Amino acid sequence: RGRMSVMRASERTIPVRTLLVAAAVAMLAAAVISIKDTLILVFLGIFLALVFEIPLRAFMRWTKWGRGISATVVVLGSAAALAVLALLLLVPMVGALRDFLKSLPDLVQQLQDSDELSWAGDSGAAENVHQGASNLADSIPNAISSILGIAGDAFSAGLWLFTLLFLALFLLIDMDRLRGVVRVMLMP
């Protein structure tokens, strides 16, 4: 007889316990993925509370107020200051961007007329740039209104920030009690 190799099929059995553990891990991963936004919100709230802890203590020493009112003033005061700063910077930035995009065709024409782009001359590339700038400038009112006028997204972001601020605020207010609970639980 010739050399004939016979392939054997090997069988492996996977215990039911292993399958159950794998299914539990998969379900846990799916659960974490489904609540990822909430987990991010909670962890950011904890982070903000820890960040505000030192300024809160300094404010309490400075004013001799209680923890609750001091935490409220520090957190909401910081939020108000950031909101005012954002509004002061956002309005001029959007206006400047709108003005720049509106003047883009004139800027391209000035560059074509000057000596800086004389090498491009009347090439197809120069015409494409000029046409693209004109198209962009014509679509600016629609683009700005669609970017800034999405009320649903703005409301959602505002609600998210509101929840984050109050989560951090309430954690700051109860931080001393939480420390006491953890201390009692960890003491032998």
Side-chain angles (χ1 to χ4, degrees):
R1 292 187 179 190
R3 292 182 81 166
M4 192 185 255
S5 61
V6 178
M7 295 185 70
R8 295 174 122 185
S10 67
E11 288 185 18
R12 290 210 162 212
T13 58
I14 300 174
V16 174
R17 183 176 178 197
T18 303
L19 291 174
L20 290 175
V21 168
V25 168
M27 288 190 319
L28 182 66
V32 168
I33 289 171
S34 70
I35 61 169
K36 68 179 178 192
D37 293 335
T38 304
L39 288 175
I40 289 172
L41 183 69
V42 168
F43 287 129
L44 280 175
I46 292 169
F47 175 76
L48 278 179
L50 294 174
V51 166
F52 280 126
E53 180 68 23
I54 301 299
L56 174 64
R57 288 182 190 173
F59 188 78
M60 286 172 60
R61 274 193 308 270
W62 182 59
T63 61
K64 308 288 190 246
W65 289 353
R67 188 170 182 87
I69 190 71
S70 296
T72 303
V73 169
V74 168
V75 170
L76 296 181
S78 298
L82 284 176
V84 167
L85 184 64
L87 288 175
L88 287 175
L89 296 177
L90 182 68
V91 171
M93 185 179 72
V94 170
L97 179 66
R98 185 194 63 234
D99 293 342
F100 170 73
L101 292 175
K102 284 283 191 186
S103 67
L104 198 55
D106 296 333
L107 182 63
V108 170
Q109 187 60 45
Q110 287 175 0
L111 286 173
Q112 284 178 339
D113 293 343
S114 70
D115 290 336
E116 286 94 15
L117 293 180
S118 61
W119 56 270
D122 291 329
S123 67
E127 183 59 35
N128 287 343
V129 168
H130 187 66
Q131 184 64 33
S134 295
N135 289 343
L136 184 63
D138 292 340
S139 67
I140 292 307
N142 296 334
I144 293 293
S145 67
S146 67
I147 289 172
L148 296 179
I150 302 173
D153 289 345
F155 180 77
S156 177
L159 183 62
W160 194 83
L161 287 173
F162 179 81
T163 305
L164 179 64
L165 279 176
F166 278 89
L167 187 66
L169 176 64
F170 292 135
L171 183 59
L172 269 175
I173 290 172
D174 287 335
M175 188 73 77
D176 285 339
R177 282 180 254 176
L178 289 173
R179 266 196 223 115
V181 168
V182 169
R183 192 175 303 125
V184 167
M185 289 174 56
L186 295 180
M187 288 299 227

